[in-house]
Amino acid sequence: MTAAPTRRLEEWRYSDIAAVERAWPVAPEAITVAAGECATRMVVQDAAPGSATIRQFDIIVAAGASLAFHIINSGGAYGRVGLDVTLHEGARFDLGGVIVAMGEQVLEIVTTVRHIGPGATSRQVVRCVAGGTATATYLGKVAVARAGQQTDAAQSFKALLLDRGATANAKPELEIFADDVKCAHGATVGELDRNALFYLESRGIPPVQARALLTRAFLSDALAGIADDEARDTAEARVTELLA
Amino acid sequence: MLKIDNLHAEIDGKTILNGLTLNVGAGEVHAIMGPNGAGKSTLSYVLAGRAGYEVTAGSVTFDGQDLLALAPHERAAAGVFLGLQYPVEIPGVSNLMFLRSALNAQRTLRGEAEASGAEFMKLAKAAAADLGLPYEMLKRSVNQGFSGGEKKRNEMVQMAVLQPKLAVLDETDSGLDIDALRVVSDGINRMRSPDRATLLITHYQRLLDYVVPDFVHVLVAGRIVRTGGPELAHTLERDGYVSIAA
Ligand SMILES: Nc1ncnc2c1ncn2[C@@H]1O[C@H](COP(=O)(O)OP(=O)(O)O)[C@@H](O)[C@H]1O
Ligand SMILES: [Mg+2]
């Protein structure tokens, strides 16, 4: 078993290292989507308050296969969901990630997406809300191998800070060895729209409810890609509960 | 119903309303006209309770209670509706969800029973039909991708569903073509009743041909400088504000 990581490592620089040591060692879960198959996966990280959790997924999406992966990361004092995704020729990977970090929580989504064959697509949408003195982090690395021509990779990260003491970190990282690739990324950190808040309140919606409504709307971007209506409703309901 | 007395208000330490006095009785429609920057929108925001607008003197009483002591959502539940000059877009929140949340929040605050899904749907459908806004549009995000005219119609749909006692309509007529103006005016007229009142803020006399006010006030530099009947709007249209202010 390898030793616990230190803060010197780029992928752990925003982590709560004491909590990481508590959660160590980590046994990665392997997921393989066979050629031509479509798979979905929902990971809910809702560990008990105060706990430290690291969930690592080592994923292979074979040629022409696709995986839609969704994460709701909201539990424990420290909670990390890590994905190491390998995409073969023509594969597709969609990630919708939600982080709701309150109090003193440190919550992270860390991904490495490897485009090792030509014509693979990856789409990552991560939305997070941080309140109190919480820290929400998204680190997203896209690695395109020499064989990864016509890679199409996109990452979108948006964070909403509810309180002055809250922190959001986003770090997209590209490592590209092919020349014909499309890699897009965007990251924004903001606050709730005051005009929208006033609009809701002026119609009779109390401030707490108005904030929850706007926050949920903001997060729903990351859940919009859940194809199954029932699963999406369940995910939306879970997020609504977190914001209540 | 609404008594505004010697109201002074400022934004960022800058005085915008400067001794404004106005009484609006139940059943009445008052028009407020005035040049750009006179403080018309500021008045509407102060009445609705928007943050950042500080009242430094004067009072506002609504149905006998101190309106300024209430939070914005409490004012709405008490019956104040503000039709915004620039309605806000809210991605990810549907018009129906917004309106139903608003209606039920108001009812809860007033100690009334919430509207059932069916009751709400009926109200929303009727209002949308009356204002010529396709019901399908209400399923979309609040005002997102709506044209200027559609946004104003949407404000009137909200008003029709919420049935306020006092409607403060800030330039609801601007940006409307003549057909939309007629539809929106009909919507305002439908709300007229002996126990409701309307404050129509407008730039143009045009609207007042459709919604004939009981009184017309001219607001210049944060106070009312003149009050008259509907004919005053015509005088203003002809001579401009300069003659009045002089
Ligand atoms: N947020 C603001 N900050 C500073 N000044 C403002 C703000 N909003 C309005 N003002 C100023 O207040 C005055 C009145 O504005 P407003 O009430 O919008 O006028 P009107 O609606 O009559 O055109 C103007 O001089 C305007 O520049
Ligand atoms: Mg204005």
Side-chain angles (χ1 to χ4, degrees):
Chain A
M1 180 47 60
T2 54
T6 68
R7 194 180 293 287
R8 274 203 302 263
L9 292 167
E10 192 55 38
E11 314 93 84
W12 300 88
R13 62 180 288 192
Y14 300 110
S15 309
D16 173 349
I17 290 297
V20 169
E21 283 166 3
R22 276 199 285 146
W24 213 259
V26 174
E29 180 182 334
I31 298 175
T32 300
V33 187
E37 304 270 291
C38 294
T40 62
R41 180 69 189 258
M42 164 66 80
V43 170
V44 174
Q45 193 291 106
D46 60 353
S51 62
T53 304
I54 300 175
R55 299 188 63 180
Q56 176 66 35
F57 296 85
D58 291 345
I59 299 169
I60 294 169
V61 186
S66 71
L67 173 65
F69 202 104
H70 288 87
I71 298 169
I72 299 177
N73 187 0
S74 66
Y78 175 73
R80 175 180 178 112
V81 179
L83 308 179
D84 192 311
V85 184
T86 300
L87 300 179
H88 289 267
E89 180 170 3
R92 181 178 176 108
F93 172 68
D94 286 276
L95 169 67
V98 167
I99 296 176
V100 179
M102 301 295 173
E104 298 173 3
Q105 287 182 296
V106 176
L107 300 178
E108 307 178 311
I109 292 177
V110 180
T111 65
T112 298
V113 177
R114 306 171 197 279
H115 287 248
I116 65 165
T121 302
S122 62
R123 294 276 174 275
Q124 302 183 63
V125 177
V126 176
R127 297 289 177 265
C128 67
V129 173
T133 56
T135 302
T137 298
Y138 166 63
L139 305 179
K141 178 171 167 181
V142 173
V144 182
R146 225 168 243 107
Q149 301 296 351
Q150 281 108 45
T151 281
D152 185 354
Q155 292 167 275
S156 158
F157 171 84
K158 287 187 189 169
L160 203 55
L161 300 182
L162 301 182
D163 298 301
R164 290 223 178 282
T167 306
N169 304 300
K171 194 165 171 293
E173 192 185 336
L174 300 176
E175 193 184 274
I176 301 175
F177 292 103
D179 44 28
D180 179 17
V181 302
K182 217 163 75 187
C183 291
H185 61 82
T188 62
V189 177
E191 297 173 2
L192 284 176
D193 178 357
R194 284 170 197 284
N195 290 325
L197 264 179
F198 170 69
Y199 195 37
L200 295 173
E201 290 177 31
S202 79
R203 295 294 179 257
I205 300 176
V208 171
Q209 196 188 337
R211 298 177 79 90
L213 238 153
L214 292 180
T215 307
R216 190 181 54 193
F218 168 84
L219 293 175
S220 66
D221 275 3
L223 303 174
I226 302 177
D228 182 62
D229 288 343
E230 204 173 308
R232 193 176 54 252
D233 288 349
T234 305
E236 291 270 2
R238 190 175 281 281
V239 167
T240 303
E241 213 167 284
L242 290 172
L243 299 172
Chain B
M1 175 177 274
L2 178 71
K3 281 188 185 343
I4 304 175
D5 186 40
N6 189 36
L7 187 63
H8 288 69
E10 55 183 48
I11 313 170
D12 292 340
K14 182 176 152 204
T15 300
I16 311 289
L17 299 183
N18 197 8
L20 190 145
T21 295
L22 179 67
N23 287 313
V24 179
E28 296 174 355
V29 173
H30 291 237
I32 295 189
M33 305 184 75
N36 267 330
K40 302 184 298 295
S41 291
T42 300
L43 171 63
S44 73
Y45 285 141
V46 169
L47 292 177
R50 185 170 193 150
Y53 293 76
E54 205 196 333
V55 173
T56 52
S59 64
V60 180
T61 319
F62 177 65
D63 270 349
Q65 60 179 333
D66 178 5
L67 189 68
L68 301 178
L70 303 180
H73 68 287
E74 296 167 334
R75 299 184 195 197
V80 176
F81 177 89
L82 169 60
L84 290 182
Q85 181 173 4
Y86 302 109
V88 182
E89 299 185 8
I90 311 183
V93 178
S94 78
N95 287 283
L96 289 172
M97 159 82 155
F98 170 46
L99 196 47
R100 188 170 172 196
S101 303
L103 180 67
N104 284 335
Q106 288 198 17
R107 289 194 176 182
T108 301
L109 219 57
R110 289 195 293 259
E112 300 166 9
E114 292 195 350
S116 68
E119 185 195 344
F120 169 74
M121 194 93 105
K122 212 173 126 193
L123 289 171
K125 276 197 165 135
D130 283 345
L131 287 145
L133 198 69
Y135 181 73
E136 288 302 306
M137 285 185 77
L138 296 184
K139 295 180 180 167
R140 300 191 348 212
S141 289
V142 175
N143 289 319
Q144 213 177 25
F146 285 31
S147 70
E150 286 163 348
K151 286 180 181 169
K152 297 301 177 71
R153 285 177 200 245
N154 196 19
E155 293 289 281
M156 296 301 98
V157 168
Q158 293 169 27
M159 180 173 78
V161 169
L162 297 174
Q163 294 280 310
K165 284 194 214 161
L166 173 71
V168 180
L169 305 180
D170 190 4
E171 300 209 21
T172 296
D173 55 333
S174 60
L176 296 184
D177 61 32
I178 201 74
D179 294 327
L181 183 65
R182 201 165 286 149
V183 171
V184 164
S185 301
D186 289 345
I188 299 171
N189 285 327
R190 266 195 299 277
M191 290 287 297
R192 289 180 90 150
S193 85
D195 49 6
R196 287 186 220 283
T198 306
L199 207 54
L200 276 182
I201 295 172
T202 182
H203 234 28
Y204 310 102
Q205 178 262 319
R206 203 171 70 137
L207 173 68
L208 307 182
D209 287 341
Y210 296 98
V211 184
V212 180
D214 300 295
F215 298 94
V216 173
H217 309 276
V218 182
L219 178 62
V220 177
R223 65 204 309 172
I224 298 217
V225 297
R226 196 152 156 197
T227 293
E231 75 290 343
L232 180 54
H234 290 273
T235 312
L236 288 171
E237 187 85 347
R238 198 182 58 229
D239 302 342
Y241 295 110
V242 183
S243 61
I244 300 269

